[in-house]
Amino acid sequence: MKLRILLITIILLSTELMLGQSEEMTSELYKTYEKFKEVSLDKRRIKHTNIKPLVDKFHKNSKFTVNKVGQSIEGRDLNLISIGKGKTNVFLWSQMHGDEPTATQAIFDILNFLDSDDFSKEKKKILKKLTLHFLPMLNPDGAEVFTRRNALGVDINRDALRLQSPEGKTLKRVRDSLNAEFGFNLHDQSTYYNAERTDKPATISYLAPAYNYEKEINDVRANAMKVIVYMNSIIQKYAPGQVGRYSDDFEPRAFGDNITKWGTSAILIESGGYLNDVEKQEIRKLNYVSILSAIYTIANGDYNDIAVEDYNKIPQNDRKLFNLKIKNLTYELNGKPYKIDLGINRIEVDNRENTDFYNVGRIVDLGDLSTYYGYETFDAEGYKIVAGTLYPTMIASSTSYERLNALSMLKKGYGYVKMAKLPDVRYTSKPMTVLKVTKATPKLDVNVGRNPTFLLQKNGVNEYAVVNGYLINLNGENPNFKNGLIYK
Ligand SMILES: [Zn+2]
């Protein structure tokens, strides 16, 4: 009996020791990240031409094997980059939705890490036990125009059964040929997801997909759940409360669900939103740290000791976030005051080449929004909402516009200027809306679907403005302001 207690104690202590080692590695990974970051991929709008030179670089590197495993509809190569000598195959693919690039960037960070001389002890362990296979940017045609679907207009993630897309066919063929033990299915989700009943964005969401309508848990699914519990504990350190659990309703046409069914423990990772991280570079870093830590725990088998029940303790994903929530606003209609909250989002509109974007603000909900949250929340109690007026002097061109002091104009109640010679673009650098000469000055309108642009007055003084969905402090700095609009 005593011997048994002693043995159990030893086992527990050694598990603690192992997990301690993993934890140390995780914090080192976080600290040293900049060393491995692939700096050429620093924006979300990345294309096949951006990753091609990187793939070629690893092709020439003897540590890696690069195989062309398929082609997109428009003829872009799909490459599988492999490293390791282990019997256990781990397969990671990203961006099957063309506008979901965060993990593609993280994959190249991970490849740089694997190529380096650092962390040699841990890497030796990983590459002896596992062979890692990366398929970055599964949907390059979608990435080209920054859209979810492929060139046929198909959502590849609903094509796991019919397999009409060459990209989906490639994914299935590679999965089958590797018979991978673990599969990382890497996506982005809307930045408007939050962890249920909190104002925290779901910076990362996880799912161990179900393989039947009953949502049963076999060993394949349980192992994915255990690794997710481990990854959640890592994200909690760097983004407390900012993890969500995706709905596990069975979707018979989706890849994750089928890959679990085919015998690979599928781990779905969704990169969501993070305050003031428009290009998701902090989230990319969290992908890097948590995926590498997960690979390490798969290599040394630590995840086996994790209680599968803990998976359900991760809060569910919800979609109750706005970019800006304005609460307790008094709005007058036909001479009567009403108390309303406004939910405001900023939509991204791409340029023609899909290399950059500007924002268009939109009121997406109105009324009692007390169950919703904002990345930014403003309590408008005691403020009066008024429309900005037209600046009396006509502006000649963009050059003279650049010289305007928008904050002082807003303070005086001006919200609009007319410009004689308009530029080609539809956005401005300042929170001062530009109108074409013949355009009438917009009236105050806070209906759903409208662009939120108005002033917030207290005791007759303009203290704040909302311009194109951005809250502007008229007496302070506004570092998050991106663009105003031009009405042609
Ligand atoms: Zn996706």
Side-chain angles (χ1 to χ4, degrees):
M1 193 63 187
K2 265 187 185 165
L3 185 70
R4 229 182 104 180
I5 291 170
L6 185 70
L7 274 176
I8 290 170
T9 313
I10 289 171
I11 290 168
L12 284 176
L13 277 175
S14 58
T15 309
E16 285 249 305
L17 207 66
M18 280 194 308
L19 285 173
Q21 275 175 7
S22 303
E23 214 164 283
E24 205 176 294
M25 184 194 175
T26 299
S27 59
E28 280 304 309
L29 285 171
Y30 191 86
K31 265 192 257 169
T32 58
Y33 171 68
E34 293 302 323
K35 196 171 171 185
F36 308 103
K37 181 175 180 173
E38 180 48 59
V39 288
S40 67
L41 309 174
D42 61 343
K43 289 209 163 136
R44 280 177 295 137
R45 282 156 181 81
I46 50 172
K47 296 172 192 273
H48 194 257
T49 48
N50 300 119
I51 67 160
K52 194 174 179 305
L54 304 173
V55 173
D56 291 346
K57 186 182 82 183
F58 289 110
H59 203 157
K60 288 186 196 122
N61 185 330
S62 61
K63 285 182 211 163
F64 297 86
T65 311
V66 178
N67 283 308
K68 181 182 163 183
V69 288
Q71 218 173 35
S72 69
I73 290 183
E74 292 175 353
R76 297 184 176 92
D77 288 353
L78 306 175
N79 289 294
L80 189 70
I81 306 165
S82 307
I83 184 169
K85 294 193 163 59
K87 272 198 239 122
T88 303
N89 286 312
V90 177
F91 179 29
L92 306 93
W93 61 96
S94 70
Q95 215 170 343
M96 73 159 67
H97 296 133
D99 56 353
E100 300 179 6
T102 305
T104 300
Q105 301 175 349
I107 282 180
F108 284 101
D109 303 337
I110 292 171
L111 291 171
N112 287 345
F113 166 86
L114 292 168
D115 187 29
S116 74
D117 296 326
D118 305 71
F119 293 86
S120 60
K121 203 178 76 200
E122 291 86 353
K123 277 195 306 210
K124 210 168 151 189
K125 217 183 244 177
I126 291 172
L127 299 176
K128 194 178 155 202
K129 242 346 209 317
L130 312 177
T131 305
L132 308 173
H133 308 269
F134 301 88
L135 204 174
M137 198 183 276
L138 184 66
N139 180 6
D141 298 351
E144 194 64 23
V145 287
F146 204 62
T147 191
R148 177 181 176 87
R149 290 165 184 262
N150 77 348
L152 176 67
V154 160
D155 181 342
I156 297 169
N157 208 22
R158 298 292 178 267
D159 194 36
L161 297 181
R162 193 171 282 181
L163 292 171
Q164 286 302 293
S165 63
E167 302 88 356
K169 268 184 208 156
T170 300
L171 179 58
K172 170 129 184 15
R173 192 175 350 97
V174 173
R175 205 283 339 158
D176 290 351
S177 71
L178 299 175
N179 199 19
E181 188 113 348
F182 283 90
F184 288 78
N185 186 6
L186 305 171
H187 292 252
D188 280 78
Q189 68 181 359
S190 161
T191 55
Y192 303 124
Y193 280 102
N194 62 309
E196 198 177 32
R197 286 193 291 279
T198 77
D199 62 355
K200 307 271 189 186
T203 300
I204 297 281
S205 288
Y206 291 112
L207 173 66
Y211 57 90
N212 59 17
Y213 282 109
E214 292 72 31
K215 305 182 187 185
E216 285 174 298
I217 301 171
N218 59 6
D219 285 349
V220 173
R221 191 170 177 220
N223 285 342
M225 288 172 159
K226 290 175 180 181
V227 173
I228 287 172
V229 169
Y230 178 65
M231 295 176 92
N232 172 51
S233 72
I234 292 166
I235 303 294
Q236 292 298 340
K237 278 207 284 194
Y238 302 105
Q242 294 179 207
V243 178
R245 180 165 45 95
Y246 224 83
S247 156
D248 67 347
D249 287 348
F250 179 57
E251 168 49 77
R253 304 166 300 161
F255 265 100
D257 308 55
N258 282 288
I259 279 171
T260 307
K261 199 164 152 184
W262 298 331
T264 293
S265 298
I267 297 168
L268 177 83
I269 304 180
E270 300 270 358
S271 294
Y274 191 96
L275 182 66
N276 299 335
D277 187 18
V278 173
E279 289 299 339
K280 298 200 183 189
Q281 296 300 292
E282 180 62 20
I283 310 178
R284 162 193 186 172
K285 181 177 175 178
L286 293 176
N287 267 269
Y288 166 88
V289 173
S290 58
I291 292 170
L292 270 175
S293 302
I295 287 172
Y296 190 52
T297 194
I298 290 170
N300 61 31
D302 282 356
Y303 70 91
N304 281 305
D305 305 323
I306 292 168
V308 76
E309 297 77 34
D310 287 354
Y311 177 81
N312 289 318
K313 293 180 189 160
I314 303 172
Q316 278 187 291
N317 248 5
D318 203 353
R319 197 177 170 146
K320 289 210 156 52
L321 264 180
F322 302 116
N323 286 120
L324 172 63
K325 177 180 157 180
I326 299 184
K327 57 179 188 180
N328 303 321
L329 188 70
T330 302
Y331 181 66
E332 274 186 27
L333 187 65
N334 300 332
K336 273 192 181 170
Y338 300 89
K339 183 176 277 194
I340 54 171
D341 306 326
L342 295 181
I344 294 168
N345 285 347
R346 298 190 286 262
I347 318 293
E348 293 184 358
V349 180
D350 277 36
N351 64 3
R352 204 170 291 131
E353 302 79 26
N354 301 100
T355 52
D356 205 355
F357 68 96
Y358 65 96
N359 281 126
V360 175
R362 195 165 292 164
I363 297 171
V364 290
D365 204 353
L366 177 162
D368 176 0
L369 301 180
S370 54
T371 57
Y372 285 76
Y373 311 92
Y375 277 94
E376 196 179 12
T377 300
F378 182 77
D379 190 347
E381 187 79 61
Y383 284 86
K384 192 181 167 194
I385 178 171
V386 293
T389 56
L390 180 67
Y391 189 60
T393 315
M394 165 103 68
I395 302 298
S397 66
S398 307
T399 322
S400 33
Y401 180 85
E402 288 308 319
R403 285 196 288 265
L404 296 176
N405 184 338
L407 289 195
S408 95
M409 287 163 74
L410 286 164
K411 267 193 216 175
K412 288 175 191 152
Y414 301 121
Y416 301 92
V417 289
K418 288 200 169 180
M419 193 187 286
K421 191 175 179 298
L422 293 172
D424 288 339
V425 295
R426 290 179 171 274
Y427 55 89
T428 67
S429 61
K430 292 171 188 281
M432 179 55 58
T433 310
V434 172
L435 304 175
K436 183 182 171 178
V437 176
T438 51
K439 188 113 187 145
T441 311
K443 291 199 174 67
L444 183 65
D445 186 353
V446 297
N447 271 305
V448 167
R450 300 286 188 247
N451 179 262
T453 295
F454 47 77
L455 292 158
L456 291 165
Q457 254 176 23
K458 202 172 209 173
N459 306 320
V461 179
N462 294 311
E463 289 190 2
Y464 288 87
V466 171
V467 180
N468 191 30
Y470 293 93
L471 181 72
I472 308 290
N473 180 351
L474 301 184
N475 298 302
E477 303 281 306
N478 296 287
N480 295 325
F481 175 77
K482 183 172 163 73
N483 66 274
L485 291 181
I486 299 176
Y487 289 123
K488 296 189 174 179

